[in-house]
């Protein structure tokens, strides 16, 4: 999959927007598993909602092309960067 993540960590600092992993929220939207250098401490075992490739295979591949899916994911990142004042 050609999804390019710049490791800004924003998605992991706004998990209050992701109901599936609300139990990881430290109280301000930051995931308990996010390290200081913006990496996921449980990356190999991260939940499926955090795994773009797996989400595509499980839920989206019958609904859209991989290209469309990557594009929607990128739009989500851009939206988060704008919310954070970097867009
Ligand atoms: S917001 Fe997007 S670019 Fe930033 S870490 Fe998350 S997936 Fe990567
Ligand atoms: S589990 Fe890992 S990938 Fe998922 S939100 Fe937390 S730090 Fe990010």
């Amino acid at each position: 999959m050609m999804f390019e993540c710049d490791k800004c960590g924003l998605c992991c600092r706004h998990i209050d927007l992701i109901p599936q992993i609300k139990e990881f929220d430290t109280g301000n939207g930051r995931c308990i598993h996010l390290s200081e250098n913006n990496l996921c401490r449980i990356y190999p075992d991260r939940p499926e909602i955090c795994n773009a490739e797996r989400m595509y295979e499980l839920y989206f591949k019958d609904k859209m092309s991989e290209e469309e899916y990557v594009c929607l994911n990128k739009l989500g990142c851009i939206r988060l960067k704008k919310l954070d004042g970097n867009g």
Side-chain angles (χ1 to χ4, degrees):
M1 183 171 284
M2 294 302 292
F3 179 66
E4 288 174 24
C5 169
D6 66 9
K7 300 186 173 63
C8 70
L10 281 173
C11 50
C12 308
R13 279 189 266 133
H14 290 280
I15 67 166
D16 48 312
L17 305 173
I18 312 173
Q20 294 93 328
I21 50 173
K22 65 180 181 210
E23 72 272 19
F24 292 167
D25 192 340
T26 54
N28 60 3
R30 186 184 175 98
C31 178
I32 198 167
H33 298 298
L34 184 65
S35 74
E36 291 312 310
N37 54 356
N38 281 340
L39 297 177
C40 175
R41 289 193 189 96
I42 59 165
Y43 191 77
D45 302 312
R46 67 199 184 284
E48 67 183 24
I49 190 72
C50 302
N51 185 330
E53 286 85 1
R54 185 148 171 74
M55 287 296 287
Y56 182 70
E57 287 301 316
L58 288 173
Y59 305 113
F60 293 97
K61 76 173 175 190
D62 296 333
K63 299 184 175 71
M64 63 182 76
S65 70
E66 197 171 305
E67 195 177 33
E68 287 172 297
Y69 178 76
V70 167
C71 194
L72 285 173
N73 272 270
K74 280 184 184 167
L75 283 174
C77 298
I78 289 167
R79 212 168 284 147
L80 276 174
K81 288 172 196 296
K82 281 193 173 152
L83 270 177
D84 199 56
N86 294 319

